[in-house]
Amino acid sequence: MVTKIDPVHKRGQKLYREMDWEGAIKCFTRVIKKCNPPPLTAYDNRAAAHIKMGNLSAALGDGKVMIQMAKKSATGYLRTSQVLQLMDKEEMALGIYKYGLLNVLTDDANFKLVRDMYDKLNMKLIPPSRVDPLRVLPVELVEMVISYLNFHHLLTLLRVSKAWSQLLTAIPRLWRHLDLSKAKKDVNRKSLISSIKRFNGAITHATLYRCGQFSESDLLPLIVNNCKNLECLEILDGPANALWLKAAPLASRLTTFISGVDHETALDVVTQILAEIPSLTRAEFHMVYSSGDLIKWSRDLSRLRVLKIHTKRSLRTRNCGLNHEELFSKIPQIHELSLPGWRPSDRSSFLDISSLTHLSSLNLSGLVQTDFPRLPPSLRILDMTDCNTLEFDLAITEINLATFPLPNLISVTLPFARNISLAVIHLLFEPNKGKLTKLDIGGATFNIDVSELITAGYLAEVTELRLRNRLVNDTVAKKLALNLPKLKILDVSLTEITGVGVKALCLKKGARLEKLNLDHCEKVSVDAVEWARKRGVEVQYNLWYEGGGSKVRHL
């Protein structure tokens, strides 16, 4: 909205341009007296005219009035500092600029000018014998450098001096992440409360760790109540407590919740958290335990895009209360799903995940089932580590892969898969031929010669391959070098490869091999390893000997 300028004010500006300073001052004074409230520009114009007349005291008075009238506007600070510099009071002028940086809104058109004038005057006043980096460097550079420090170090900087404290607290971006992850001892209760209250308007991300002086039902409501702009909450340790969910309705902006591996959470608490915070789009629970009873998923979770519910490896054979089918029906928009270690309640039937048509990344590590699941065609990343009960030579596996092909797969992790047949390889990789870039089938058993997989053309775009298998020898290594031109990372540990195969891989055409794992390849000599390293390949090479149980490591 454009503000109309009083005709008398316009006349004053005209007289100013005509260098009739006295006439201009009279016009500006009339505007100030008759308008309620008087316009800030009238004071600013009158101060400029006073400067031209040499009446610096009157100009300074107008500048102070402008600061009082509009504390968040840059105009008063700029004019007052200008007058103070003309009066040879440069230290005082610097203080006014600094005060302005603390109060002027960053979206003010003249905020950058205040900052630039502060930096310029600051450089002028620095004695050559000492240098304060925060006074020498531009604010942008200060922010860039200090942003690499963790939260604890930032708090330490505030204690350096009052000037440092004022300048650093005036940069909201530095205080967006309340990060306690680096705490080496329990966080002091008083200090944490003070920090939360000091930076509550800026904090959008909180990472809680070693907050032993708080109960969870006390700490989390404190965070949620005081950090109104909180978007991400991470809890790294301690037992989970559902009592804090009473404050959940206040976390209206919370989109990400992460529970760490040292923060044990009951499965029923997981369902409560997801139900009570409907704004969540990302939820990760990295240490979940279950009573074994089948859980009920009563709320719609269609806003979720990422869901991870991980359980202890030691509990994987017992954790069967997840209720996969009902969960899948509540997360229709999910993009990334990670459920390692959860055993379906009905092991006799396969998992049907085909309805999740937006799913791009799936982790079913530790799945205890014999039948390969039905997967959606949108899937790009599949991780089925430790699925040792899966049988790939069953008819139902071929039926599921034929009925629900995977044309978008770019990464597949199937270590220790059993009885992989040529038919399964064709059904799994033919729909995405030319797209696959990462494959882990280390320790897998095949009903075919592994060379058939390599020469079939499915792996032409693969850059990372893990093929830990005693069937792999120099012949296979040569075929890898010939058929996988883009290969950069290769794991052939526990294989029969020799120095001949190593040389073939290092001299292959196309992209240069960057990493090579030769652990426990007993037929590879140290000379071959050193030769590969001299060619710039990062080689991992460890051997063991059964005699006496001693272990030799070649660095």
Side-chain angles (χ1 to χ4, degrees):
M1 180 178 178
V2 179
T3 305
K4 290 184 178 181
I5 300 178
D6 187 280
V8 179
H9 194 165
K10 285 185 177 180
R11 175 163 175 75
Q13 291 176 333
K14 182 174 181 296
L15 291 172
Y16 182 90
R17 290 192 294 271
E18 294 173 354
M19 293 186 284
D20 183 356
W21 321 123
E22 192 171 347
I25 290 172
K26 289 179 181 179
C27 289
F28 297 141
T29 303
R30 283 178 58 193
V31 173
I32 291 169
K33 287 181 178 180
K34 78 173 187 176
C35 295
N36 187 21
L40 197 68
T41 52
Y43 278 105
D44 190 38
N45 293 158
R46 190 172 73 172
H50 280 310
I51 291 173
K52 294 295 185 180
M53 292 283 290
N55 190 353
L56 298 181
S57 296
L60 183 61
D62 283 343
K64 291 179 178 179
V65 171
M66 283 191 280
I67 293 174
Q68 292 171 357
M69 285 177 58
K71 196 174 182 179
K72 295 183 178 181
S73 172
T75 307
Y77 302 103
L78 290 168
R79 185 64 69 190
T80 303
S81 296
Q82 179 195 13
V83 176
L84 287 170
Q85 289 180 75
L86 292 172
M87 298 172 75
D88 294 326
K89 296 180 179 180
E90 293 178 326
E91 286 284 353
M92 193 176 295
L94 186 67
I96 295 296
Y97 282 135
K98 185 181 292 186
Y99 186 56
L101 288 174
L102 295 174
N103 292 291
V104 176
L105 298 175
T106 54
D107 57 357
D108 188 297
N110 288 317
F111 177 80
K112 186 177 184 300
L113 181 58
V114 175
R115 188 172 57 196
D116 291 345
M117 296 301 290
Y118 169 82
D119 292 338
K120 183 178 179 180
L121 183 56
N122 197 25
M123 287 288 291
K124 179 181 177 182
L125 293 177
I126 293 174
S129 58
R130 60 183 177 87
V131 175
D132 181 345
L134 264 63
R135 297 184 68 177
V136 176
L137 299 175
V139 176
E140 297 94 337
L141 193 54
V142 169
E143 182 178 346
M144 186 186 302
V145 172
I146 293 180
S147 64
Y148 287 97
L149 300 178
N150 61 44
F151 190 78
H152 173 72
H153 291 150
L154 283 174
L155 293 178
T156 302
L157 289 185
L158 295 182
R159 296 195 290 269
V160 171
S161 68
K162 187 176 180 180
W164 279 41
S165 179
Q166 288 177 339
L167 183 59
L168 294 178
T169 52
I171 307 176
R173 206 177 96 177
L174 294 176
W175 310 102
R176 290 178 184 171
H177 189 183
L178 175 67
D179 185 4
L180 307 180
S181 62
K182 305 297 182 183
K184 296 181 180 179
K185 58 183 181 180
D186 283 353
V187 176
N188 180 271
R189 181 185 180 91
K190 185 177 179 181
S191 298
L192 180 56
I193 293 174
S194 174
S195 297
I196 291 172
K197 291 184 176 179
R198 177 187 290 184
F199 307 116
N200 66 78
I203 295 172
T204 59
H205 184 174
T207 302
L208 308 181
Y209 179 59
R210 303 203 66 160
C211 298
Q213 295 186 16
F214 294 84
S215 67
E216 192 167 285
S217 57
D218 179 27
L219 173 61
L220 295 176
L222 174 70
I223 297 284
V224 172
N225 282 317
N226 287 280
C227 303
K228 302 298 183 183
N229 296 314
L230 191 66
E231 297 174 358
C232 177
L233 176 61
E234 297 181 71
I235 308 174
L236 301 186
D237 67 341
N241 188 322
L243 295 176
W244 76 273
L245 288 171
K246 294 179 180 179
L250 297 174
S252 58
R253 297 192 179 186
L254 195 66
T255 58
T256 300
F257 182 89
I258 299 174
S259 173
V261 293
D262 294 321
H263 186 245
E264 293 192 1
T265 310
L267 184 57
D268 60 334
V269 174
V270 170
T271 62
Q272 291 178 58
I273 290 173
L274 294 176
E276 294 297 328
I277 313 179
S279 58
L280 289 178
T281 59
R282 184 184 193 96
E284 299 182 20
F285 305 88
H286 292 276
M287 187 57 66
V288 180
Y289 61 91
S290 168
S291 63
D293 296 330
L294 206 62
I295 207 75
K296 293 292 184 183
W297 298 94
S298 56
R299 294 289 186 91
D300 175 66
L301 303 174
S302 57
R303 289 196 63 173
L304 274 180
R305 298 296 182 269
V306 178
L307 177 61
K308 299 181 181 182
I309 305 178
H310 296 197
T311 186
K312 284 184 178 179
R313 182 179 291 270
S314 60
L315 298 177
R316 286 185 174 181
T317 57
R318 302 199 298 272
N319 274 346
C320 57
L322 188 64
N323 196 350
H324 291 74
E325 292 77 9
E326 190 171 88
L327 172 60
F328 297 156
S329 70
K330 303 296 182 181
I331 52 174
Q333 301 296 322
I334 203 73
H335 291 178
E336 183 179 347
L337 182 61
S338 184
L339 303 172
W342 292 97
R343 181 164 58 89
S345 54
D346 184 3
R347 289 180 57 188
S348 62
S349 63
F350 53 80
L351 283 181
D352 189 348
I353 315 176
S354 59
S355 61
L356 301 180
T357 56
H358 298 279
L359 188 65
S360 63
S361 178
L362 176 64
N363 182 349
L364 291 176
S365 298
L367 180 68
V368 184
Q369 271 198 323
T370 56
D371 301 334
F372 194 81
R374 288 181 175 177
L375 303 175
S378 57
L379 198 64
R380 291 169 57 81
I381 300 172
L382 175 63
D383 186 349
M384 299 189 73
T385 304
D386 293 337
C387 297
N388 302 330
T389 59
L390 277 179
E391 294 286 354
F392 281 83
D393 58 351
L394 298 178
I396 189 65
T397 295
E398 295 185 17
I399 292 172
N400 284 345
L401 284 172
T403 311
F404 299 90
L406 303 169
N408 295 301
L409 272 184
I410 61 171
S411 174
V412 177
T413 304
L414 290 171
F416 303 104
R418 300 196 299 179
N419 302 321
I420 299 178
S421 65
L422 185 61
V424 166
I425 286 175
H426 176 77
L427 291 169
L428 186 59
F429 297 123
E430 179 64 34
N432 50 72
K433 192 172 184 179
K435 294 181 180 179
L436 197 69
T437 59
K438 180 181 177 181
L439 178 63
D440 183 350
I441 46 175
T445 59
F446 299 88
N447 292 339
I448 58 168
D449 184 346
V450 70
S451 297
E452 292 184 60
L453 170 62
I454 297 170
T455 57
Y458 300 131
L459 311 184
E461 299 296 316
V462 165
T463 60
E464 185 174 347
L465 176 65
R466 285 172 173 78
L467 199 62
R468 303 177 295 276
N469 193 298
R470 286 294 181 189
L471 298 175
V472 175
N473 51 29
D474 288 340
T475 301
V476 173
K478 291 176 181 178
K479 290 182 178 179
L480 286 172
L482 183 64
N483 292 277
L484 278 68
K486 297 186 178 181
L487 188 63
K488 294 182 179 180
I489 301 173
L490 176 63
D491 182 351
V492 285
S493 55
L494 288 167
T495 64
E496 297 297 310
I497 194 172
T498 72
V500 174
V502 172
K503 184 175 182 180
L505 290 166
C506 292
L507 294 177
K508 74 179 186 69
K509 294 181 179 180
R512 181 178 66 84
L513 194 66
E514 296 175 1
K515 295 182 180 180
L516 179 61
N517 188 338
L518 297 171
D519 281 347
H520 317 307
C521 293
E522 298 171 358
K523 295 184 178 181
V524 175
S525 67
V526 175
D527 290 341
V529 172
E530 292 303 323
W531 177 85
R533 286 173 176 164
K534 287 179 181 178
R535 295 190 64 83
V537 181
E538 182 182 329
V539 182
Q540 183 174 318
Y541 181 55
N542 298 285
L543 290 178
W544 69 59
Y545 294 99
E546 294 182 1
S550 60
K551 186 176 181 179
V552 179
R553 180 179 180 87
H554 298 280
L555 299 175

